[in-house]
Amino acid sequence: MHALEIRNLSHWYGTRRILNKVNLTIAPGQIVALVGPSGCGKSTLLRAILGTDPPSEGEVLAEGRLVTEPNRDVGIVYQNYSLYEFLSAEENVAFGLKLDKTSLISRFIALPAYLRKRREHLQMARDFLKKVGLEAAMGHYPAELSGGMRQRVAIAQAFILQPKIVLLDEPFGALDEATREDLQLMLLRFYQENLKAKQRGERPQYTIIIVTHELNEAIYVADRVIGLSRFHTEGSQGAMVVYDRPCPVFHPDDPKDLSKFVEQREELRSAVFDPNYVKHHSKYVSFWDELSNDALAVAAMNSR
Ligand SMILES: Nc1ncnc2c1ncn2[C@@H]1O[C@H](COP(=O)(O)OP(=O)(O)O)[C@@H](O)[C@H]1O
Ligand SMILES: [Mg+2]
């Protein structure tokens, strides 16, 4: 079962076509980087996946279920995610669980059960915050947290609901370089957890689409890069998927060897970002074909 399936998705704002027949399938446990020129429709696509702005045409399925409105299957983290300022980090993370699983009435009639649930939720929140490196800050309020810490809380808040997929829309854009690298490493650790879950025959927990304009970041954190662009040969309107290829998988302990990025970065620059480079839109759309060959071997080699 695909974590996400997008079928023939098109979107118009007024008479202006933004997205042109986007087709995409994402498997559980993939970390997919989505890149493309500014204004090409990346956030529009994410909103369609999230269910806040259903597409004008086509459909989105999260784990086989049609997405027509925001729901638990899809989570999102934005660049400047606003946490609840009056809740501590752990309460922020537990907040979604609370809303979902205990109603006001059940709190009233079954106070002890409610309190037990609440303790469970806070424990889950603390466990997850430990995992994202925030053990020491669990009781802190957002105003006491740095930008990087706030983003970790926001990411924990999204994943604690166990969505089928989480969307990250330029999540590290506002952070300084060192913090950004810490958060990139966090994603690499998530990916290692995915590989281990797969080895045990379990469903991997972290399926992610990350939008970034940093091509190095895209290649570093993801196992697959998708390029969305309106520079293609299929008519002049609307962005299509013009690039979909595997990229090298890094282990968090590996050096960030920039030489591994160079070729693919140049390929992306011309295939996705260069308005004069108009070629058949499917030339670089080969992820699933390549996966059956050597990418699998590389992924296996890199999992330790
Ligand atoms: N609500 C809206 N109404 C009209 N036009 C919009 C709206 N939202 C976005 N757009 C336009 O759609 C295009 C794609 O926007 P967006 O998805 O935000 O691009 P990206 O995230 O790739 O930078 C842009 O030209 C933008 O101006
Ligand atoms: Mg955007």
Side-chain angles (χ1 to χ4, degrees):
M1 175 78 75
H2 301 300
L4 182 78
E5 189 172 356
I6 295 176
R7 294 188 189 143
N8 259 321
L9 185 153
S10 294
H11 200 82
W12 282 262
Y13 283 121
T15 55
R16 198 164 140 242
R17 187 179 201 153
I18 307 297
L19 297 170
N20 185 352
K21 296 201 178 75
V22 172
N23 284 289
L24 213 53
T25 54
I26 292 177
Q30 289 186 334
I31 299 190
V32 177
L34 177 62
V35 301
S38 169
C40 74
K42 301 180 293 298
S43 295
T44 303
L45 181 60
L46 293 195
R47 284 195 296 272
I49 298 170
L50 190 64
T52 52
D53 292 47
S56 313
E57 262 178 36
E59 51 196 26
V60 176
L61 295 104
E63 203 106 330
R65 271 199 295 277
L66 194 64
V67 174
T68 53
E69 57 186 5
N71 65 86
R72 277 186 79 117
D73 289 337
V74 187
I76 192 161
V77 175
Y78 300 99
Q79 182 176 122
N80 291 306
Y81 193 91
S82 45
L83 302 171
Y84 301 105
E85 296 293 332
F86 54 90
L87 298 178
S88 66
E90 62 186 22
E91 287 166 342
N92 260 288
V93 175
F95 189 75
L97 293 168
K98 181 170 130 193
L99 272 188
D100 227 54
K101 290 189 179 157
T102 53
S103 69
L104 262 180
I105 292 176
S106 71
R107 276 181 231 173
F108 186 72
I109 15 191
L111 193 61
Y114 163 71
L115 291 175
R116 196 175 57 238
K117 263 253 119 67
R118 170 104 181 116
R119 273 197 303 276
E120 265 173 44
H121 290 168
L122 283 172
Q123 191 54 50
M124 281 168 74
R126 282 193 288 269
D127 289 345
F128 206 95
L129 285 170
K130 254 182 235 170
K131 197 174 359 204
V132 298
L134 280 186
E135 191 162 12
M138 296 194 287
H140 291 197
Y141 287 84
E144 305 170 291
L145 302 174
S146 68
M149 292 161 112
R150 293 171 69 104
Q151 278 311 66
R152 284 173 201 262
V153 175
I155 287 167
Q157 209 176 40
F159 277 110
I160 197 118
L161 299 173
Q162 294 180 287
K164 306 301 180 210
I165 189 161
V166 167
L167 315 173
L168 305 177
D169 199 352
E170 310 211 18
F172 311 148
L175 305 176
D176 62 69
E177 196 54 34
T179 307
R180 193 172 181 135
E181 292 205 355
D182 285 346
L183 283 154
Q184 291 169 353
L185 285 171
M186 181 183 75
L187 295 185
L188 295 187
R189 282 193 288 272
F190 285 172
Y191 194 77
Q192 290 302 311
E193 278 190 51
N194 282 346
L195 294 177
K196 285 186 191 124
K198 280 193 232 173
Q199 279 161 7
R200 292 192 301 267
E202 295 165 11
R203 187 187 191 285
Q205 192 183 349
Y206 306 98
T207 308
I208 296 173
I209 300 180
I210 173 170
V211 171
T212 173
H213 57 254
E214 273 285 323
L215 296 184
N216 283 333
E217 178 168 88
I219 297 166
Y220 184 52
V221 301
D223 64 344
R224 172 179 180 188
V225 183
I226 291 177
L228 198 62
S229 177
R230 47 184 185 276
F231 313 133
H232 54 70
T233 52
E234 296 297 291
S236 55
Q237 272 212 344
M240 301 183 89
V241 173
V242 299
Y243 189 99
D244 184 0
R245 291 200 59 204
C247 59
V249 170
F250 287 82
H251 188 277
D253 299 335
D254 287 342
K256 195 172 174 181
D257 176 7
L258 288 174
S259 67
K260 285 196 184 179
F261 298 88
V262 179
E263 229 170 284
Q264 192 159 27
R265 206 176 54 213
E266 290 318 306
E267 193 176 85
L268 281 164
R269 282 230 172 90
S270 61
V272 184
F273 290 86
D274 181 359
N276 301 315
Y277 190 81
V278 175
K279 76 264 148 239
H280 192 264
H281 66 92
S282 64
K283 181 174 176 199
Y284 289 106
V285 178
S286 52
F287 178 81
W288 293 107
D289 299 334
E290 293 184 68
L291 189 69
S292 47
N293 309 324
D294 46 23
L296 268 181
V298 173
M301 228 170 58
N302 277 304
S303 71
R304 300 175 212 147

